[in-house]
Amino acid sequence: MQFMLLFSRQGKLRLQKWYVPLSDKEKKKITRELVQTVLARKPKMCSFLEWRDLKIVYKRYASLYFCCAIEDQDNELITLEIIHRYVELLDKYFGSVCELDIIFNFEKAYFILDEFLLGGEVQETSKKNVLKAIEQADLLQESQNEDWGATS
Amino acid sequence: MALKMVKGSIDRMFDKNLQDLVRGIRNHKEDEAKYISQCIDEIKQELKQDNIAVKANAVCKLTYLQMLGYDISWAAFNIIEVMSASKFTFKRIGYLAASQCFHEGTDVIMLTTNQIRKDLSSPNQYDTGVALTGLSCFVTPDLARDLANDIMTLMSHTKPYIRKKAVLIMYKVFLKYPESLRPAFPRLKEKLEDPDPGVQSAAVNVICELARRNPKNYLSLAPLFFKLMTSSTNNWVLIKIIKLFGALTPLEPRLGKKLIEPLTNLIHSTSAMSLLYECVNTVIAVLISLSSGMPNHSASIQLCVQKLRILIEDSDQNLKYLGLLAMSKILKTHPKSVQSHKDLILQCLDDKDESIRLRALDLLYGMVSKKNLMEIVKKLMIHVDKAEGTTYRDELLTKIIDICSQSNYQYITNFEWYISILVELTRLEGTRHGHLIAAQMLDVAIRVKAIRKFAVSQMAMLLDNAHLIASNTQRNGICEVLYAAAWICGEFSEHLEEANQTLEAMLRPKVTTLPGHIQAVYVQNMVKLYASILQQKEQAGEKEAAQEITQLMIERLPQFVQSADLEVQERASCILQLIKYIQKLQVKEVPVAEEVIALFAGELNPVAPKAQKKVPVPEGLDLDAWINEPPSDSESEDEKPKTIFHDEEQRHSKPRHPEMDEEELARRREARKQEQANNPFYIKSSPSPQKRYQDTPGVEHIPVVQIDLSVPLKVPGMPMSDQYVKLEEERRHKQKLEKDKKKKKQKKEKRGKHHRHNSLHTESEEDIAPAHHVDIITEEMPENALPSDEDDKDPNDPYKALDIDLDKPLADSEKLPVQRHRNAEALKTPESEVPPVEKKSKKPKKKEKKHKEKEKDKGKKKEKEKKHKKEKEEKSKDKKKSKKKHHHSEEEMAESVQNGTLDDEPLPPMSSYRLLAENPYIKTTYDIQGNLQNDSQVTVSVIFENKSTSFLKSMELNVLDSLNTKMLRPEGSSVHDGIPVPFQLPPGISNEAQFVFTLQSIVMAQKLKGTLSFIVKNDEGSTHEKLDFKLHFSCASYLITTPCYR
């Protein structure tokens, strides 16, 4: 996978994860282009499109679009699974996740994604393990916060 | 201290945290930009504080702002500070920010190496994890080189959590630092059998990705993967393995044979669509690779096609799309199996989803045959009419043309039908593809001689109705067809029925609104038309009519003479003069027609677009030498359809030979006339002279209704291509009837029925004879044309570097570099220390040098070219050397691989000296070190190596100071004085000198220009020489090294 973008129906970017090094300018250009293209598609259209030499796989959950770019030989369906799995993980972690959860805790959303995917490849297929790792890291964070005197 | 802490936390209470920022942004919808710039100012204040918590909070907010599109690269250094926080809470945020905004161009990224290394070896697995995750996003070639060994060690970490991350990130490391692949591969392979499924799947992931790019190096792993495939139940892993096999089978057909069975089993058993899809895809790949060697695998193909049909029929758009996509892969090798699903694919053209329609279109391209072409194109034409959105319509248009013209019009049995289709397509509004249609018209009219008469009549009609087509010239679209129309009418004017009328159409004032290149063609072809009319009239003895037509030309041509377009103007004035001359002759009653027509005499042959390029140059031929005097007028040159619109007219020469299939054509025309007569859309014009037709044996019998002779042959309407479909069907039906007399069918059968009937019989393509004898002239190619150029592979492919033989034993020189503390001794006694270092770490050093040299090259563009060349030569020498070295040491160290105990062995330290500059006399390398005593100073150690056989003396080094960085000179000397090097160099000797620089800021990279001057003394005398260089201070070079933890 080359990158993953989350954006709202209004075209606001909510999360971006790039697994290929690109300059900010290039990233912005790609994001703008893709957000436009995907939002312009009608709801009944299929979730795949060819874009430059990549394939874009996207799916809409409530008001959020999850959009991944994969290479030519990659499997579109498994990419949809990845998106779905990520949504499930967010859902489990936040408890029926909504767009606001991701806006206000965007760093958490990244942490979850980083436990699930690494360098664009699935690193952990078990939902339980991903959540366990996140919980423990959070625990570590909290205990440190206590040492230090909590003022959040 | 305690007070400071309290103060810090009180400060923090007034800071905005991330939530406040987000809320604030949402509350300031109107003046978001202003609010954010305020916030950024606050953040800048926060970053200046010592409290790491405040900094982390600020960086966290910045990360959010970065996502909104704000530039935060200025805070890169602060991000590194937060990354190096000891607390996980902050470290996590620091790494997150880094992974979001660092890239290869980030300058300070060099500063992170040691921090990352420290985190990788942290006792806390989450520290390690967070560092690995971050690194995966911003790894650079330098980081990859420096950290490869550390990460490789982590692949054997006790915790699977770390192992799997380390395994996955290795892929990124390989991409950035291909040299690491061979040393790391044995361990990676080991991980395929890791007890932890997560690690195992990570290893499968990495190897699959590697193997997809360079499959041949991974064939030896096939048995292992086969075992994994049959034993694994994890669909994620299975998909990867199956994909890997898809890449391997083309190289090893035996593998393919073995795969078919387990794959078909999976196809039958799995309920996961993603796995099913992957299996089908791989089976297709296998079958493609086997197609030559194996007689038949029809069962497997059938299975795939069946499954794909189920996908396409599914209500889920995604499955439909993928089904079509996979179908197109089968089509290439097994077109028959797909063609039987034509109905389904045609249905998809009606789908609401444009991407599905486009997929279906792609499929149709490969599915057409002589039998179904007309039907498919008819369907497409209906879609063109109702398509909304010009993009899709244009797509349809190009597809129609592609489908019809593919493999040299192989599937077209009736060219009148095709011309009619093209003419119908001109009715499309706002299309961008007018030139495509035009090119087709020209191509068909030139190459299919039998169609010229018909084509000319259609084109004349287009010219007559030019006002409809040219109404919106600004869109640069369809008016291009007038180009083709004008040219065809002119070139083949002998076929024109109403040449006068067409000529008048071309002389209309409106024509001057057309684009210049079209007008130019108009002007040129008018003359051809004029010539043929003139001849006609003269032969008929109608002198007055001939003079009238000349007069018309003289009256109308001036409007083109006034054209703003140079080409039009030039041609028009030239021709005007010619015609005036003709008029003079006509007045004297001199017959001129023959001479005029001779201007355009000659046969015209289509020439392949590449023909010119392919002409081989005979040996001994000097193309630049004159053979004779330069020729005054050129003969007909090669014809290139691509450039036809802007080319000169001179090549157009006139074919004239009797029409072979006139009767046949005429019969067609009459049938059409009949149709047109019954169609109120057509306007009748004056009757044209009738001709008699005889039945010729061997020509098709087309049902012709008795014709009313008053029906005009040429009507200013548009033809209906549908009619041909009907005609064609009837013709074919008749053919069939003749063949198959036993079966008596009704003549007026419906199309659907008819076709079902067709497909029942396994009638072969060849049975359908073309409606009229078509002589498609192939494009001319020169004799002994050169074979087609090989398509070059992209040299910039990042995966190319990973094409590495993994089975060869590992050489010592290939070991991963291990960063060691820079030797302080090296500084003091460089002469004794440096050479052995160089020897041991030959490879990494060369690598580094090359890298630096490249950088240098960029910076040195202004310098003299000579030097460039030398450097390049040097580089290639280096390469050769290192290659030799590589081979040599490989044999010696073959043992070390098998053990896989790489990290236990002493690893060569890295030399940190980089090339400063060199010329034939001297080579200088340098290293920059922070000063422990004085942190505003750095020491630059320069090694001077005498490469010549002369004695070098009076060396003096001078640098142009910058504001930030200044060379420390002895008191009293000016900034322009150089510093003498405190030694002389006999031939072949090297020595080191040190120079101290003072700095203002350590976050600024610097490049200082400088010169080394010296005197070369040898037997012939002494000369003064100079060597320019650039001294590069990267931020990382200001770092003070501290002892390694281990």
Side-chain angles (χ1 to χ4, degrees):
Chain A
M1 189 187 295
Q2 305 244 339
F3 56 84
M4 185 190 243
L5 301 174
L6 258 75
F7 50 88
S8 68
R9 221 167 26 170
Q10 289 78 35
K12 285 244 160 94
L13 194 61
R14 294 303 180 206
L15 196 127
Q16 53 172 345
K17 190 83 199 174
W18 300 81
Y19 297 110
V20 285
L22 292 170
S23 68
D24 277 353
K25 208 174 141 199
E26 184 71 3
K27 284 181 187 171
K28 267 189 213 164
K29 201 175 140 218
I30 293 175
T31 311
R32 205 179 317 121
E33 207 177 312
L34 274 186
V35 168
Q36 263 174 17
T37 325
V38 170
L39 288 179
R41 287 174 67 89
K42 299 189 183 76
K44 279 282 172 68
M45 282 179 153
C46 72
S47 301
F48 317 122
L49 54 123
E50 280 173 5
W51 178 81
R52 300 194 186 174
D53 53 346
L54 297 176
K55 294 193 284 197
I56 302 299
V57 179
Y58 70 92
K59 194 158 168 70
R60 188 177 149 183
Y61 287 90
S63 58
L64 268 187
Y65 283 88
F66 290 70
C67 171
C68 296
I70 54 173
E71 276 161 65
D72 186 44
Q73 297 143 314
D74 288 327
N75 187 322
E76 292 93 335
L77 290 174
I78 205 74
T79 311
L80 276 181
E81 294 264 335
I82 290 173
I83 293 176
H84 188 70
R85 179 63 61 94
Y86 180 48
V87 174
E88 280 180 334
L89 286 169
L90 290 172
D91 206 51
K92 275 255 170 68
Y93 182 82
F94 288 109
S96 71
V97 66
C98 68
E99 194 183 336
L100 284 180
D101 288 322
I102 295 175
I103 298 174
F104 282 105
N105 301 288
F106 87 116
E107 84 277 19
K108 299 279 185 210
Y110 277 120
F111 296 150
I112 297 171
L113 184 61
D114 287 341
E115 287 300 325
F116 177 42
L117 301 175
L118 193 139
E121 297 292 326
V122 177
Q123 70 166 304
E124 184 54 71
T125 54
S126 146
K127 268 182 276 186
K128 217 175 68 193
N129 284 351
V130 175
L131 289 172
K132 211 172 78 191
I134 288 290
E135 270 164 32
Q136 279 177 354
D138 282 353
L139 222 65
L140 185 69
Q141 178 169 343
E142 270 162 36
S143 66
Q144 280 181 355
N145 277 356
E146 273 162 27
D147 296 346
W148 169 77
T151 38
S152 57
Chain B
M1 185 65 197
L3 194 71
K4 208 175 173 188
M5 281 276 282
V6 172
K7 191 172 172 289
S9 49
I10 289 173
D11 280 348
R12 281 197 69 234
M13 282 167 65
F14 298 106
D15 290 342
K16 283 196 193 81
N17 64 15
L18 176 68
Q19 270 78 11
D20 298 330
L21 175 80
V22 175
R23 217 167 280 134
I25 292 173
R26 292 169 75 84
N27 288 338
H28 290 78
K29 286 232 164 78
E30 300 81 36
D31 53 346
E32 195 183 288
K34 196 179 147 206
Y35 178 77
I36 287 177
S37 76
Q38 233 173 52
C39 289
I40 289 181
D41 287 343
E42 281 170 25
I43 289 169
K44 279 182 179 161
Q45 287 307 312
E46 285 165 32
L47 286 177
K48 279 183 188 151
Q49 294 185 32
D50 285 336
N51 190 330
I52 191 73
V54 176
K55 273 188 185 165
N57 184 44
V59 165
C60 187
K61 288 190 281 185
L62 280 179
T63 315
Y64 186 79
L65 293 178
Q66 192 260 353
M67 186 168 69
L68 297 185
Y70 291 86
D71 176 35
I72 64 160
S73 55
W74 51 270
F77 198 77
N78 302 106
I79 292 173
I80 294 179
E81 282 182 301
V82 177
M83 278 163 76
S84 51
S86 56
K87 288 200 168 60
F88 177 69
T89 320
F90 308 137
K91 191 182 285 301
R92 210 182 187 188
I93 288 170
Y95 272 103
L96 174 63
S99 68
Q100 290 306 102
C101 77
F102 282 9
H103 51 86
E104 280 188 26
T106 308
D107 190 19
V108 292
I109 214 161
M110 289 292 289
L111 298 178
T112 60
T113 318
N114 276 324
Q115 182 56 41
I116 295 173
R117 180 175 292 121
K118 193 169 142 199
D119 288 332
L120 289 182
S121 55
S122 159
N124 181 345
Q125 63 165 334
Y126 293 104
D127 280 351
T128 315
V130 106
L132 284 172
T133 310
L135 189 61
S136 73
C137 293
F138 57 77
V139 60
T140 62
D142 286 336
L143 282 177
R145 187 192 59 229
D146 294 344
L147 295 172
N149 199 48
D150 303 72
I151 299 171
M152 205 169 91
T153 320
L154 289 179
M155 279 164 66
S156 314
H157 199 273
T158 49
K159 297 209 170 81
Y161 177 80
I162 301 297
R163 284 208 302 273
K164 72 181 182 213
K165 279 180 192 278
V167 167
L168 279 176
I169 200 179
M170 269 327 264
Y171 179 60
K172 296 277 165 186
V173 173
F174 295 151
L175 283 179
K176 298 288 174 195
Y177 181 54
E179 286 87 341
S180 61
L181 179 57
R182 277 174 44 80
F185 194 72
R187 193 167 294 183
L188 185 60
K189 203 168 129 188
E190 223 172 84
K191 295 296 138 197
L192 283 176
E193 288 165 309
D194 196 277
D196 182 86
V199 180
Q200 200 187 25
S201 108
V204 169
N205 267 343
V206 172
I207 296 187
C208 288
E209 285 304 308
L210 288 169
R212 262 165 59 178
R213 320 290 180 188
N214 299 295
K216 68 173 189 305
N217 302 328
Y218 299 86
L219 271 176
S220 60
L221 290 180
L224 184 58
F225 276 106
F226 199 81
K227 202 178 90 197
L228 275 177
M229 183 178 79
T230 40
S231 60
S232 177
T233 51
N234 182 339
N235 281 353
W236 303 80
V237 173
L238 274 177
I239 286 179
K240 280 282 173 185
I241 298 178
I242 291 168
K243 193 178 284 301
L244 167 79
F245 279 130
L248 292 184
T249 41
L251 301 168
E252 183 49 274
R254 281 175 302 172
L255 185 62
K257 275 181 233 168
K258 220 178 156 193
L259 276 173
I260 291 282
E261 201 201 328
L263 286 182
T264 38
N265 287 346
L266 269 176
I267 291 176
H268 279 298
S269 63
T270 186
S271 59
M273 276 303 173
S274 47
L275 182 58
L276 173 80
Y277 179 62
E278 196 62 54
C279 288
V280 169
N281 261 331
T282 304
V283 169
I284 295 168
V286 168
L287 291 177
I288 289 172
S289 68
L290 287 182
S291 59
S292 50
M294 299 283 284
N296 70 44
H297 268 291
S298 52
S300 312
I301 298 164
Q302 279 314 313
L303 179 66
C304 287
V305 175
Q306 251 171 39
K307 287 283 174 185
L308 290 179
R309 187 174 174 109
I310 294 172
L311 289 188
I312 297 172
E313 279 171 338
D314 200 288
S315 59
D316 184 345
Q317 300 287 66
N318 294 336
L319 298 182
K320 218 189 251 297
Y321 178 88
L322 294 179
L324 291 169
L325 199 65
M327 213 49 131
S328 61
K329 289 180 193 155
I330 300 185
L331 186 68
K332 282 173 203 143
T333 47
H334 302 88
K336 285 252 162 67
S337 337
V338 182
Q339 269 165 4
S340 54
H341 298 279
K342 190 184 71 193
D343 55 320
L344 186 66
I345 287 148
L346 281 173
Q347 264 173 36
C348 290
L349 281 182
D350 296 317
D351 202 282
K352 294 179 294 275
D353 185 347
E354 189 177 307
S355 32
I356 288 178
R357 292 197 302 255
L358 290 177
R359 282 275 148 255
L361 271 179
D362 279 350
L363 264 178
L364 282 179
Y365 176 81
M367 286 172 67
V368 288
S369 61
K370 280 184 181 167
K371 201 157 53 183
N372 62 19
L373 175 73
M374 283 184 165
E375 187 200 347
I376 287 177
V377 171
K378 184 180 174 211
K379 268 242 172 194
L380 293 179
M381 290 299 285
I382 294 170
H383 281 281
V384 170
D385 280 341
K386 64 183 186 189
E388 72 245 23
T390 43
T391 351
Y392 179 57
R393 214 167 38 188
D394 277 357
E395 185 67 32
L396 273 170
L397 191 153
T398 42
K399 267 280 137 46
I400 290 175
I401 289 179
D402 282 353
I403 286 175
C404 292
S405 62
Q406 64 176 310
S407 23
N408 213 3
Y409 307 102
Q410 187 189 349
Y411 301 118
I412 295 185
T413 51
N414 185 335
F415 278 91
E416 280 189 32
W417 164 82
Y418 186 45
I419 294 271
S420 318
I421 288 285
L422 290 175
V423 172
E424 272 178 55
L425 285 175
T426 62
R427 280 185 288 180
L428 277 187
E429 272 170 40
T431 179
R432 290 180 295 114
H433 294 307
H435 62 277
L436 251 182
I437 304 176
Q440 283 291 296
M441 285 171 169
L442 286 170
D443 199 38
V444 172
I446 294 168
R447 295 175 57 192
V448 187
K449 286 183 180 166
I451 203 67
R452 283 181 192 162
K453 195 172 175 72
F454 178 77
V456 165
S457 70
Q458 293 296 314
M459 295 303 118
M461 209 165 63
L462 276 181
L463 288 178
D464 220 18
N465 294 309
H467 55 282
L468 297 175
I469 291 164
S471 54
N472 45 4
T473 46
Q474 69 274 24
R475 264 191 259 173
N476 183 33
I478 205 69
C479 63
E480 291 289 334
V481 299
L482 291 176
Y483 180 106
W487 189 85
I488 292 171
C489 284
E491 185 64 29
F492 306 119
S493 51
E494 72 269 20
H495 298 297
L496 262 182
E497 306 276 343
E498 298 275 351
N500 271 336
Q501 199 181 331
T502 308
L503 183 62
E504 263 177 63
M506 288 171 80
L507 283 164
R508 278 182 205 145
K510 260 232 144 171
V511 171
T512 52
T513 60
L514 289 173
H517 67 280
I518 297 178
Q519 283 187 57
V521 171
Y522 262 67
V523 171
Q524 189 76 15
N525 284 285
M526 270 171 213
V527 198
K528 295 185 199 165
L529 256 180
Y530 166 77
S532 84
I533 296 172
L534 204 64
Q535 190 188 33
Q536 205 183 322
K537 302 288 181 201
E538 267 188 19
Q539 278 167 1
E542 302 170 36
K543 279 181 191 158
E544 297 219 336
Q547 282 177 357
E548 259 170 44
I549 204 85
T550 311
Q551 188 55 37
L552 180 75
M553 289 289 277
I554 288 172
E555 274 167 22
R556 299 283 183 84
L557 268 174
Q559 60 184 342
F560 295 105
V561 176
Q562 289 156 10
S563 172
D565 189 287
L566 211 62
E567 186 70 31
V568 180
Q569 202 188 74
E570 197 175 4
R571 290 187 190 190
S573 34
C574 205
I575 285 161
L576 188 58
Q577 287 312 311
L578 177 73
I579 289 178
K580 279 181 179 165
Y581 180 67
I582 293 171
Q583 199 180 29
K584 270 189 206 160
L585 293 176
Q586 273 181 332
V587 174
K588 292 180 194 159
E589 303 212 341
V590 181
V592 283
E594 284 308 321
E595 281 169 48
V596 176
I597 211 120
L599 286 174
F600 308 107
E603 177 64 42
L604 176 119
N605 289 324
V607 177
K610 280 185 186 165
Q612 183 77 59
K613 239 193 285 175
K614 303 241 165 165
V615 181
V617 180
E619 253 179 84
L621 174 65
D622 178 11
L623 287 176
D624 297 326
W626 285 114
I627 302 167
N628 295 313
E629 281 305 292
S632 50
D633 55 349
S634 39
E635 285 142 51
S636 80
E637 274 166 25
D638 63 320
E639 165 106 61
K640 290 183 188 170
K642 281 278 155 66
T643 57
I644 195 161
F645 296 111
H646 306 286
D647 260 352
E648 306 303 314
E649 288 287 297
Q650 58 196 16
R651 55 166 186 256
H652 297 151
S653 42
K654 198 153 203 172
R656 72 187 55 256
H657 60 97
E659 196 49 67
M660 296 297 287
D661 303 301
E662 207 155 69
E663 301 88 343
E664 169 60 29
L665 276 172
R667 207 176 7 259
R668 277 318 165 86
R669 196 176 307 111
E670 276 171 274
R672 196 178 59 260
K673 265 189 285 174
Q674 178 64 25
E675 165 80 9
Q676 288 168 348
N678 298 333
N679 190 337
F681 179 73
Y682 290 96
I683 305 158
K684 291 166 192 171
S685 69
S686 59
S688 58
Q690 279 299 309
K691 290 176 185 172
R692 269 189 211 159
Y693 305 108
Q694 292 170 345
D695 269 351
T696 330
V699 185
E700 301 318 315
H701 300 274
I702 293 157
V704 181
V705 194
Q706 200 54 47
I707 294 163
D708 176 5
L709 293 186
S710 67
V711 173
L713 197 64
K714 178 175 164 294
V715 274
M718 298 290 186
M720 298 294 286
S721 60
D722 285 0
Q723 199 189 342
Y724 290 100
V725 182
K726 220 185 208 166
L727 277 175
E728 183 69 16
E729 258 166 39
E730 281 167 9
R731 187 179 68 82
R732 284 185 195 170
H733 182 67
K734 217 165 178 187
Q735 257 184 359
K736 191 186 300 298
L737 278 183
E738 280 167 14
K739 252 202 220 157
D740 194 13
K741 278 177 185 167
K742 284 170 197 168
K743 288 189 180 174
K744 285 183 182 174
K745 292 272 169 188
Q746 284 180 342
K747 205 171 181 183
K748 286 189 179 179
E749 206 173 12
K750 290 212 167 179
R751 186 181 305 118
K753 260 188 189 173
H754 185 72
H755 269 268
R756 208 169 306 142
H757 171 77
N758 265 359
S759 55
L760 276 178
H761 293 262
T762 47
E763 184 185 40
S764 74
E765 288 278 287
E766 284 67 37
D767 287 350
I768 303 169
H772 40 197
H773 174 68
V774 173
D775 171 28
I776 302 176
I777 308 166
T778 49
E779 293 168 324
E780 283 192 346
M781 278 292 221
E783 284 173 47
N784 344 310
L786 300 168
S788 59
D789 336 343
E790 284 173 22
D791 39 355
D792 298 325
K793 282 185 179 173
D794 182 13
N796 297 326
D797 185 5
Y799 305 109
K800 194 107 195 201
L802 285 182
D803 188 359
I804 294 168
D805 186 356
L806 294 164
D807 298 327
K808 268 200 288 182
L810 199 67
D812 189 35
S813 59
E814 283 182 299
K815 294 217 175 116
L816 292 178
V818 175
Q819 191 87 1
R820 283 230 305 239
H821 178 47
R822 278 182 197 144
N823 298 341
E825 311 88 76
L827 260 179
K828 286 167 200 157
T829 53
E831 298 99 311
S832 57
E833 196 61 31
V834 171
V837 165
E838 234 180 311
K839 210 176 185 182
K840 265 192 211 164
S841 61
K842 193 114 193 165
K843 193 141 194 211
K845 191 185 169 186
K846 284 281 155 30
K847 180 79 198 164
E848 193 181 59
K849 248 191 248 160
K850 260 181 243 162
H851 181 70
K852 294 297 167 198
E853 268 179 10
K854 258 181 229 159
E855 259 177 35
K856 271 181 163 311
D857 275 358
K858 271 181 216 160
K860 281 189 181 172
K861 269 177 197 162
K862 284 174 200 166
E863 283 182 43
K864 288 170 196 166
E865 264 200 40
K866 267 186 190 173
K867 201 165 160 196
H868 256 293
K869 268 185 197 163
K870 258 171 209 152
E871 264 187 27
K872 268 177 204 160
E873 275 167 21
E874 204 56 43
K875 244 190 274 178
S876 59
K877 254 188 228 163
D878 270 8
K879 264 183 214 163
K880 273 178 211 159
K881 256 192 240 164
S882 63
K883 247 189 200 167
K884 262 184 210 161
K885 174 86 186 167
H886 177 97
H887 272 289
H888 187 61
S889 49
E890 229 167 51
E891 287 154 26
E892 291 172 358
M893 300 307 289
E895 197 52 28
S896 65
V897 204
Q898 267 78 3
N899 303 338
T901 53
L902 285 161
D903 32 356
D904 300 335
E905 292 185 20
L907 281 143
M910 308 268 304
S911 164
S912 49
Y913 282 83
R914 317 173 201 159
L915 184 73
L916 184 61
E918 71 178 305
N919 66 9
Y921 299 110
I922 191 162
K923 178 180 173 181
T924 54
T925 52
Y926 75 107
D927 181 37
I928 302 170
Q929 300 223 273
N931 191 326
L932 281 166
Q933 276 78 42
N934 186 344
D935 53 9
S936 67
Q937 283 188 356
V938 289
T939 308
V940 178
S941 315
V942 184
I943 300 175
F944 300 89
E945 186 191 338
N946 186 348
K947 290 162 61 187
S948 68
T949 50
S950 319
F951 196 84
L952 303 184
K953 59 177 204 178
S954 304
M955 290 189 278
E956 205 175 85
L957 185 123
N958 197 9
V959 169
L960 211 60
D961 291 349
S962 73
L963 279 179
N964 186 46
T965 315
K966 295 182 166 47
M967 184 155 78
L968 207 67
R969 295 178 168 85
E971 264 178 69
S973 57
S974 98
V975 286
H976 304 296
D977 290 345
I979 294 186
V981 179
F983 47 76
Q984 299 181 334
L985 282 181
I989 296 297
S990 63
N991 202 348
E992 175 169 311
Q994 293 182 349
F995 305 89
V996 179
F997 287 79
T998 57
L999 326 154
Q1000 300 287 319
S1001 159
I1002 59 158
V1003 292
M1004 277 167 75
Q1006 292 283 323
K1007 266 184 193 159
L1008 298 189
K1009 274 191 193 168
T1011 322
L1012 176 73
S1013 58
F1014 53 91
I1015 292 173
V1016 183
K1017 194 181 169 193
N1018 53 22
D1019 304 339
E1020 295 152 29
S1022 14
T1023 49
H1024 200 86
E1025 291 288 338
K1026 264 186 175 180
L1027 176 62
D1028 290 328
F1029 59 83
K1030 259 185 197 163
L1031 195 54
H1032 186 136
F1033 295 86
S1034 67
C1035 287
S1037 60
Y1038 305 138
L1039 282 180
I1040 294 173
T1041 46
T1042 48
C1044 251
Y1045 41 78
R1046 265 240 139 201

